[in-house]
C-alpha cells in the first residue's frame, strides 16, 4: 500500500513538473542526481542523435532543457527524485516543440572519468566483467584452436560476443537492446573507489525497445553508459556473431514526445560480490513485482512429462535407456541421460524402477573409461561420441560437466532408492562406478588443483583447462564422501568450492564454460551448479561462510533470470498466449535466449537457501523460474511446441539474436532437458511451504493459499486451485528448529499432498509438529 502511495505522489509531482517546466526545485533535484553520480566521478548528459539508417551523423547536447537542431526546437523536462533506498529516480520527457526532425533518437548518457579496465562491468545475461576476454570464431560453438589443448595456462576464451577490448590503446563499444538483458540494466564496480553503480531502465518507451551502450575510450580512462530511445544499433549480436540490426530512428513532427525512465544507484561496495548482492535486491525496483500466472499445477506437469518420458524408453543394440534426445543416440548428463531417470524413479512404479535400473546398468557398463571418468555419449549402435575434438589430439574427450552430473545424480539415485525402501536393489556395480568416478576427480584435483573443462576418460588427463565446468563436482563429491564415508573427498569438495568461488565469482564476477556448445563463455548453468555446491557445503558443515558465499552465488544466478514480464511483438506466439515470462533463464552470453528452467535442475538449492536464511528473494526467484517454465509447456488451449501434451522446448526469445521474426515465437520441437527440469521442480520443490512458528505460508505451486485462522496453535489454511486441472499439491510444514536442519536429498518422498480439484477450495489444518489434517 505504501509503495502504491509513493508511486502516486511521485507521478503527481512529475505531472506538476510538466505543467510548470524546469523549476528551481527540479534543478536542485537534478543537481542531487548529479551529486550521486559525482561520487564516482560521473556526470549526466542528454542529447539528440541524428541518424542515416544506423549511422550516427551528429549528436547535440541539451543545455538547460533546450536544444536547437537543423530540424527544429527541442524541449527537455526532467523530474528527479531521491528515493529512500539511496537511488535517484529520473523521468525525462523529450519533446519536439517546433519543426521536423528526421531519424532522431534521444539519449541519456552517464559520463565517467577516473575509469579503469579493472572496473567490473555487468549487463545481466549479456556482459560479465566487460566480456574483456580472448575471443575466437565467428559463430555458434567455435572450434578450439590447437593452443587450447593440454595447456594449463589457457586464458579464459569466449565466442565472438559484444565485449570491451582487452587490448591497450584500443577503444571499444558495446551496443545492445534492452531485450538482450534479463534486467534492462548496466552495472559496474570500481575496485579503486570501492563503489558500485547500477543503472536500471524500462524495456520500452513509446518508440519501442530502448538501447544500452557502453563506450570506452582508447586510453580506457573514461567510459560512457547510455540509454537511448529507441535502440539504434549498427549490428545486433547473434549466437557468437553479429548481423545488421535493422534498427531505425523515427522521424519526428512538431508535438511528438517520448518519456524515458531510469534509476541510478551509487553505493559503497567492497568487492564484486557486494555489487551482485545489491543487484539482486533492486533488479525489480523499477519494473515492480511481476505477476506470475497460475495455469498448470505441478502435479499435472509431472504427469504429462513422465508420460512422455515413459514412452521414450527404447532397447537398441548398445543397451536400454530412456531416449534423451529426438533420436536414438544416448547423451549422458548435461541435458540428457541419467537425469531424466531420477523423476521416473521417484514415481515409485515397479516397471519404471526396473527401467531405471537397466539404464544405470547400461551407463556404468558401457560408458565408464579406464580412468574412472565417463564418456559423454554413445550412438545407438555402440560407437562412443567424442566431444570438442581437435585433429591433432585423437584421444576421445568428454565434458567435465557431464562427469560432474554423473557423480551428483548417481549418488542421488542411490539415496532415493534407500529413501523409498529399495536399497536392496542397488547393484554393487553402481556403487563401484560412483567410487571410481569420485576417485578420478580426487586424483585430478590433487594433481592440477582444478577439474578442467574437458577430460580424456581413457587417461584421466585434462584436455582443456579453465572454466567453471566443474561447478557441480563438489556437490557430487560431498554426497559421495558421506555415502561411502571417505573424509578426504569432503576436504576436496570444500577446497574446490572455495577455489571456484574465489577465482571465478569473487575475482571475475562470472562462472562459465560447462555447456557442450560454448567455449568458456559465462553461462547460467555453471552459476546454478556452483550454487548447488556452495549450499551443499553449508548443509554438511554448518559453517556460515558457505551460506554467505551461497547468497552471493544466488545473486549471480539472479542475473540470468528475467526479472520482469517482457513485452513481446504483437501477434507473436507468446503475445497471443499472454504469457508472463519473468523467471525464464538465459542460457549463456553466446546463446542469447531464455529457456524454461535451469539446465538441468529443479533449482532447489534456492529453496534450501530460503529455508536457511528466511530471505524470500530466493523463494521469489525460484517461483518465477517454475512459473515461466509452465508458460512454455504445450497443453490444450496453450499450444507452444505443437508437439506432445506436456512437452516443452528451450526457446523463449525476447531478443533479435536469431532475427526479428524469432522474437516471441516458440520452436516447434521438444527438448528432453526442459521437460526433465519441469519434472524435477514438481518433485523437489514443495507446492506449499509452511512455517508454523512464523505463521507464514509460501506458495510455489499454481494454487493460492491463505491462513484462515490459528486454533490452539493449529494453522487453518485455505487452498484454492484456480487452474483448469485437478491438483495434488505437496506441502512441507515445519517450525524454526526444523527449518534450521538441512533437508534429506529425497525429503519429498515423505511430503503429504493436498488434493484440490480444478476451481475448488479446500481447508487443511497444520499442527505445530508439521502434520497435515484434512
Amino acid at each position: 500500500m505504501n509503495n502504491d502511495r509513493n508511486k502516486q505522489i511521485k507521478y503527481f509531482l512529475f505531472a506538476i513538473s510538466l505543467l510548470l517546466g524546469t523549476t528551481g526545485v527540479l534543478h536542485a533535484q537534478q543537481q542531487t542526481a548529479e551529486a550521486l553520480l559525482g561520487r564516482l566521478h560521473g556526470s549526466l548528459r542528454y542529447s539528440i542523435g541524428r541518424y542515416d539508417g544506423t549511422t550516427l551523423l551528429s549528436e547535440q547536447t541539451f543545455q538547460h532543457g533546450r536544444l536547437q537542431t537543423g530540424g527544429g526546437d527541442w524541449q527537455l523536462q526532467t523530474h528527479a527524485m531521491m528515493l529512500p533506498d539511496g537511488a535517484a529516480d529520473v523521468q525525462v520527457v523529450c519533446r519536439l516543440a517546433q519543426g521536423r526532425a528526421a531519424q532522431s533518437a534521444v539519449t541519456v548518457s552517464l559520463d565517467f572519468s577516473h575509469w579503469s579496465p579493472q572496473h567490473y562491468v555487468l549487463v545481466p545475461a549479456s556482459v560479465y566483467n566487460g566480456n574483456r576476454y580472448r575471443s575466437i570464431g565467428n559463430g555458434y560453438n567455435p572450434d578450439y584452436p590447437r593452443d587450447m589443448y593440454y595447456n594449463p595456462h589457457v586464458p579464459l576464451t569466449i565466442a565472438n560476443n559484444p565485449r570491451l577490448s582487452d587490448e591497450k590503446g584500443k577503444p571499444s563499444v558495446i551496443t545492445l537492446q534492452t531485450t538482450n538483458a534479463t534486467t534492462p540494466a548496466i552495472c559496474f564496480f570500481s575496485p579503486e573507489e570501492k563503489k558500485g553503480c547500477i543503472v536500471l531502465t524500462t524495456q520500452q518507451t513509446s518508440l519501442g525497445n530502448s538501447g544500452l551502450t557502453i563506450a570506452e575510450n582508447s586510453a580506457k580512462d573514461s567510459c560512457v553508459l547510455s540509454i537511448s530511445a529507441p535502440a539504434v544499433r549498427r549490428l545486433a549480436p547473434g549466437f557468437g556473431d553479429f548481423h545488421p540490426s535493422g534498427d531505425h530512428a523515427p522521424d519526428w513532427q512538431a508535438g511528438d514526445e517520448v518519456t524515458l525512465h531510469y534509476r541510478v544507484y551509487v553505493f559503497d561496495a567492497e568487492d564484486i560480490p557486494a555489487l551482485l548482492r545489491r543487484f539482486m535486491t533492486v533488479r525489480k525496483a523499477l519494473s515492480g513485482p511481476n505477476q506470475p500466472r497460475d495455469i498448470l499445477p505441478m502435479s499435472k506437469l509431472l504427469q504429462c512429462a513422465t508420460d512422455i518420458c515413459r514412452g521414450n524408453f527404447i532397447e537398441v543394440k548398445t543397451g536400454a535407456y530412456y531416449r534423451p534426445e529426438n533420436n536414438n543416440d544416448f547423451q549422458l548428463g548435461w541435458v540428457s541421460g541419467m537425469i531424466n531417470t531420477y523423476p521416473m524413479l521417484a514415481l515409485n512404479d515397479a516397471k519404471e524402477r526396473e527401467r531405471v535400473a537397466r539404464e544405470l546398468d547400461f551407463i556404468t557398463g558401457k560408458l565408464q573409461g579406464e580412468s574412472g571418468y565417463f564418456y559423454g555419449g554413445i550412438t545407438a549402435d555402440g560407437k562412443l561420441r567424442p566431444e570438442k575434438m581437435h585433429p591433432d589430439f585423437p584421444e576421445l574427450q568428454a565434458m567435465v560437466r557431464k562427469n560432474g552430473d554423473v557423480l551428483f545424480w548417481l549418488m542421488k539415485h542411490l539415496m532415493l532408492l534407500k529413501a523409498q525402501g529399495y536399497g536392496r536393489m542397488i547393484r554393487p556395480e553402481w556403487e563401484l562406478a560412483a567410487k571410481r568416478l569420485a576417485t578420478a576427480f580426487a586424483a585430478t584435483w590433487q594433481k592440477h588443483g582444478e577439474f578442467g573443462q574437458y577430460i580424456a576418460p581413457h587417461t584421466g588427463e585434462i584436455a582443456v583447462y579453465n572454466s567453471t565446468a566443474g561447478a557441480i563436482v563438489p556437490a557430487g563429491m560431498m554426497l559421495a564422501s558421506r555415502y561411502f564415508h571417505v573424509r578426504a573427498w569432503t576436504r576436496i569438495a570444500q577446497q574446490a568450492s572455495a577455489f571456484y568461488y574465489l577465482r571465478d565469482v569473487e575475482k571475475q564476477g562470472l562462472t562459465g564454460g560447462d555447456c557442450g556448445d560454448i567455449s568458456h563463455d559465462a553461462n547460467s548453468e555453471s552459476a546454478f551448479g556452483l550454487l548447488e555446491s556452495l549450499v551443499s557445503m553449508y548443509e554438511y558443515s554448518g559453517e556460515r561462510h558457505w551460506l554467505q558465499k551461497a547468497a552471493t552465488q544466488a545473486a549471480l544466478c539472479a542475473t540470468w533470470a528475467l526479472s520482469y514480464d517482457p513485452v513481446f511483438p504483437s501477434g507473436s506466439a507468446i503475445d497471443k498466449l499472454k504469457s508472463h515470462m519473468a523467471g525464464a533463464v538465459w542460457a549463456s552470453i553466446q546463446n542469447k535466449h531464455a529457456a524454461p528452467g535451469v539446465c538441468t535442475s529443479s533449482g532447489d538449492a534456492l529453496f534450501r537457501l530460503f529455508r536457511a536464511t528466511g530471505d524470500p528473494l530466493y523463494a521469489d526467484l525460484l517461483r518465477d523460474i517454475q512459473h515461466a517454465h509452465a508458460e512454455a509447456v504445450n497443453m490444450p488451449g496453450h499450444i507452444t511446441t505443437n508437439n506432445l501434451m506436456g512437452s516443452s522446448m528451450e526457446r523463449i526469445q525476447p531478443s533479435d539474436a536469431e532475427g526479428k521474426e524469432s522474437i516471441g515465437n516458440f520452436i516447434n520441437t521438444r527438448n528432453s532437458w526442459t521437460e526433465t527440469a519441469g519434472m524435477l521442480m514438481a518433485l523437489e520443490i514443495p507446492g506449499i511451504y509452511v512455517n508454523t512458528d512464523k505463521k507464514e505460508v509460501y506458495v510455489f505451486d499454481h494454487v493460492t493459499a491463505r491462513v484462515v485462522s490459528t486454533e490452539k496453535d493449529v494453522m487453518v489454511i485455505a487452498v484454492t486451485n484456480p487452474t483448469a486441472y485437478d491438483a495434488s499439491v505437496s506441502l512441507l510444514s515445519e517450525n524454526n528448529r526444523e527449518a534450521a536442519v538441512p533437508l534429506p536429498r529425497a525429503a519429498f518422498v515423505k511430503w503429504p499432498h493436498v488434493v484440490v480439484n480444478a476451481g475448488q477450495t479446500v481447508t487443511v489444518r497444520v499442527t505445530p509438529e508439521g502434520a497435515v489434517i484434512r
Side-chain angles (χ1 to χ4, degrees), residues 407-434:
L407 183 59
F408 180 70
W409 286 101
L410 182 51
M411 297 312 307
K412 288 186 68 171
H413 278 72
L414 302 182
M415 297 165 80
L416 176 55
L417 281 166
K418 289 189 173 183
Q420 292 175 320
Y422 297 105
R424 66 187 182 280
M425 282 191 61
I426 296 173
R427 318 266 208 263
E429 293 84 1
W430 303 346
E431 293 183 325
L432 178 60

Side-chain angles (χ1 to χ4, degrees), residues 425-736:
M425 282 191 61
I426 296 173
R427 318 266 208 263
E429 293 84 1
W430 303 346
E431 293 183 325
L432 178 60
K435 280 184 178 180
R436 290 184 62 207
L437 180 54
T439 300
F441 273 124
T444 298
W445 178 262
Q446 289 164 350
K447 183 176 180 180
H448 300 288
E450 68 162 287
F451 296 122
Q453 186 186 26
Y454 287 88
I455 205 86
H458 178 70
T459 64
E461 288 301 312
I462 294 177
V464 179
Y465 289 77
N466 210 338
S467 86
T468 330
I472 195 70
V473 175
M477 290 291 283
M478 186 63 81
L479 295 183
S481 172
R482 297 310 168 107
Y483 186 95
F484 295 113
H485 308 290
V486 181
R487 300 186 70 85
W489 294 347
T490 294
R491 291 192 296 272
I492 290 173
Q494 293 174 330
Q495 290 167 6
S497 296
F499 167 77
Y500 284 119
Y501 179 83
L502 176 63
R503 187 195 68 175
D504 296 348
V505 180
E506 189 168 319
K507 292 187 176 180
Q508 297 188 100
L510 63 88
T511 59
D514 69 339
C515 297
D517 60 348
I518 62 174
S519 303
H520 291 156
D521 303 61
N523 77 326
S524 62
E525 299 171 33
S526 58
F528 281 94
L530 187 55
L531 176 63
E532 173 62 54
S533 288
L534 293 170
V535 172
S536 296
M537 296 310 108
Y538 168 70
E539 289 178 334
Y540 284 103
S541 72
E543 297 172 358
R544 302 290 295 182
H545 70 93
W546 292 118
L547 199 59
Q548 295 162 1
K549 290 178 174 65
T552 296
Q553 190 62 29
L556 180 59
C557 291
T559 69
W560 290 103
L562 282 168
S563 61
Y564 71 108
D565 296 317
V567 176
F568 290 92
S570 177
S572 66
I574 296 178
D575 173 69
K576 288 179 179 178
L577 292 174
K578 307 302 179 187
S579 294
H580 296 186
M581 286 304 187
V585 181
W586 225 256
S588 67
I589 60 171
Q590 175 195 268
N591 297 358
K592 299 171 180 66
H593 70 87
V598 177
C599 184
T600 302
S601 165
S602 66
D604 68 314
L606 286 168
F607 172 67
R608 286 146 49 207
L609 187 58
F610 165 57
R611 286 183 73 243
T613 64
D615 191 335
L617 283 178
Y618 308 124
D620 292 348
L621 175 56
L622 185 56
R623 180 199 57 190
D624 285 353
I625 292 171
Q626 196 283 330
H627 279 69
H629 179 278
E631 293 280 8
V633 175
N634 196 66
M635 296 297 289
H638 189 87
I639 301 302
T640 59
T641 66
N642 284 313
N643 209 296
L644 301 170
M645 288 300 106
S647 63
S648 56
M649 45 68 259
E650 64 181 9
R651 286 291 199 281
I652 297 170
Q653 184 54 280
S655 84
D656 59 358
E658 300 170 274
K660 293 186 184 299
E661 69 282 354
S662 69
I663 304 173
N665 289 317
F666 298 108
I667 296 176
N668 294 328
T669 185
R670 55 169 291 270
N671 294 103
S672 171
W673 81 258
T674 61
E675 294 160 5
T676 301
M679 292 188 285
L680 293 172
M681 285 188 279
L683 287 170
E684 296 186 315
I685 303 169
I688 300 173
Y689 176 70
V690 179
N691 185 299
T692 56
D693 283 339
K694 297 178 180 178
K695 303 295 187 292
E696 292 178 352
V697 175
Y698 194 99
V699 180
F700 292 96
D701 209 334
H702 290 229
V703 296
T704 63
R706 62 186 179 87
V707 178
V708 176
S709 65
T710 56
E711 304 170 354
K712 296 181 180 178
D713 293 330
V714 173
M715 292 179 64
V716 181
I717 300 172
V719 182
T720 301
N721 176 5
T723 77
Y725 305 99
D726 296 343
S728 177
V729 184
S730 60
L731 191 151
L732 171 60
S733 177
E734 58 187 4
N735 55 35
N736 288 337

